[in-house]
């Protein structure tokens, strides 16, 4: 006996199997990350063909049997396929999906993670935010949402809130003022001028509703993006191939 269920979700990855079928990894609103068997969706006349693709956000009608999900039908809500027309945006979208898949597999996902990736893809398609800012926003906020938010309140020793520059210990996820840092080892430590510290606090801590309203100075974006990327890589202990692909496209004109 199969139970029916309806879930909204974003397809993060599709994998072909057999001649006509696919497995879909879907991040859902109510059930976290699920794997769905989508039979016959590679046939030209399949009614589910367009929805059963990566970057498709839809309401999926599924049947469940023995802990496995099978696709019955789907109602598209929003697709983000237009990023494919721009290789750099496509690379970033792939990176967002790969990171999300990784953290969701670790069972650390929540509904805010789904909201974060949907918003990030929305602005990537809209083209109204610099790519590097979207990358930094996604990286910093994803880490915050899964409980890896750094302690950004102030210097971890004297609680000083701000300084001309502070030092960000990426592994420890904490700040030092120059005075308290003294002559410790600078390995894995980033210098944060006041503006960058403000941006990182904003990305990690502000309400999701306001998250994409940050108007960051473009001159700071490469540095900001490097810091959020290093923080994510160190905290997750993982390097993502899709990030290498994105970086291989840069060639110095990354804005
Ligand atoms: Zn201090």
């Amino acid at each position: 006996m199969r139970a029916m269920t309806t879930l909204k979700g974003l397809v993060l990855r599709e994998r072909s199997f057999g001649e006509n079928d696919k497995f879909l990894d879907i991040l859902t609103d109510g059930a976290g990350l699920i794997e769905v068997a989508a039979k016959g969706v590679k046939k030209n006349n399949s009614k589910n063909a367009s929805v059963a693709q990566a970057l498709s956000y839809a309401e999926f009608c599924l049947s469940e049997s023995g802990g496995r999900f099978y696709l019955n039908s789907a109602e598209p809500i929003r697709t983000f396929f237009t990023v494919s027309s721009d290789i750099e945006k496509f690379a970033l979208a792939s990176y967002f999906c790969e990171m999300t898949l990784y953290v969701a597999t670790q069972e650390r996902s929540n509904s805010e993670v789904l909201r974060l990736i949907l918003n990030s893809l929305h602005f990537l398609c809209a083209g109204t935010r610099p790519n590097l800012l979207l990358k930094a926003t996604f990286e910093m906020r994803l880490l915050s949402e899964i409980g890896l938010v750094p302690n950004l309140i102030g210097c971890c020793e004297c609680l000083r809130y701000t300084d001309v520059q502070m030092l960000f210990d990426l592994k420890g996820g904490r700040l030092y003022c120059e005075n308290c840092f003294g002559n410790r080892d600078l390995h894995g430590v980033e210098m944060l001028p006041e503006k960058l510290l403000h941006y990182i606090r904003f990305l990690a801590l502000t309400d999701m509703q306001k998250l994409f309203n940050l108007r960051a100075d473009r001159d700071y974006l490469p540095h900001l993006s490097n810091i959020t990327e290093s923080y994510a890589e160190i905290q997750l202990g993982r390097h993502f191939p899709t990030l290498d692909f994105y970086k291989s496209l840069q060639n110095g004109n990354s804005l």
Side-chain angles (χ1 to χ4, degrees):
M1 175 100 175
R2 288 186 171 188
M4 303 289 284
T5 180
T6 301
L7 290 168
K8 283 182 189 166
L10 174 71
V11 181
L12 296 176
R13 182 171 62 179
E14 54 181 272
R15 285 167 290 143
S16 287
F17 82 100
E19 204 170 313
N20 299 314
D21 310 332
K22 285 181 186 175
F23 279 118
L24 306 176
D25 293 306
I26 304 178
L27 184 66
T28 67
D29 208 358
L33 182 71
I34 59 170
E35 186 186 71
V36 173
K39 297 219 170 210
V41 292
K42 282 162 71 184
K43 288 183 192 158
N44 287 334
N45 60 354
S46 164
K47 64 184 189 328
N48 294 325
S50 67
V51 180
Q53 296 185 61
L55 299 177
S56 162
Y57 179 54
E59 189 164 74
F60 295 93
C61 180
L62 308 167
S63 53
E64 191 182 354
S65 173
R68 291 189 156 274
F69 290 97
Y70 300 86
L71 179 65
N72 293 333
S73 63
E75 209 46 60
I77 300 171
R78 171 86 197 260
T79 61
F80 302 97
F81 305 148
T82 55
V83 292
S84 308
S85 62
D86 178 323
I87 187 76
E88 197 173 312
K89 287 176 189 287
F90 175 73
L92 270 187
S94 304
Y95 175 49
F96 295 168
C97 286
E98 190 183 20
M99 273 187 110
T100 304
L101 200 56
Y102 178 72
V103 303
T105 307
Q106 311 292 303
E107 294 182 33
R108 287 191 290 195
S109 97
N110 58 38
S111 59
E112 288 295 279
V113 171
L114 178 60
R115 210 170 145 202
L116 173 66
I117 190 169
L118 289 173
N119 280 317
S120 301
L121 293 172
H122 165 78
F123 284 108
L124 205 53
C125 286
T128 51
R129 303 286 186 277
N131 288 347
L132 273 185
L133 178 59
L134 290 175
K135 173 179 171 290
T137 302
F138 184 82
E139 289 167 333
M140 195 66 228
R141 192 47 175 250
L142 182 69
L143 274 283
S144 290
E145 291 298 340
I146 62 170
L148 296 173
V149 59
N151 182 353
L152 297 169
I153 293 169
C155 170
C156 62
E157 293 193 353
C158 72
L159 298 180
R160 188 183 178 126
Y161 183 73
T162 186
D163 206 341
V164 179
Q165 63 176 8
M166 304 270 278
L167 295 102
F168 183 20
D169 168 7
L170 298 172
K171 192 155 195 279
R174 60 197 159 201
L175 296 172
Y176 291 90
C177 69
E178 286 187 281
N179 201 20
C180 294
F181 191 80
N183 50 13
R184 285 181 170 87
D185 183 7
L186 279 166
H187 182 74
V189 173
E190 289 280 348
M191 296 285 189
L192 295 184
E194 217 169 350
K195 229 174 194 174
L196 272 186
L197 175 56
H198 167 71
Y199 296 158
I200 286 177
R201 278 187 173 130
F202 186 96
L203 296 180
L205 303 171
T206 199
D207 287 350
M208 184 73 85
Q209 263 178 317
K210 298 182 195 151
L211 182 61
F212 291 88
N213 294 345
L214 179 66
R215 295 285 188 264
D217 187 332
R218 280 179 179 255
D219 294 343
Y220 284 85
L221 291 182
H223 194 181
L224 176 66
S225 163
N226 282 341
I227 293 171
T228 54
E229 179 183 310
S230 301
Y231 181 68
E233 193 167 316
I234 285 175
Q235 291 293 326
L236 294 175
R238 186 175 168 101
H239 185 76
F240 297 95
T242 46
L243 177 61
D244 292 332
F245 174 52
Y246 170 72
K247 288 170 129 180
S248 73
L249 303 169
Q250 298 300 294
N251 298 324
N253 55 348
S254 51
L255 298 180

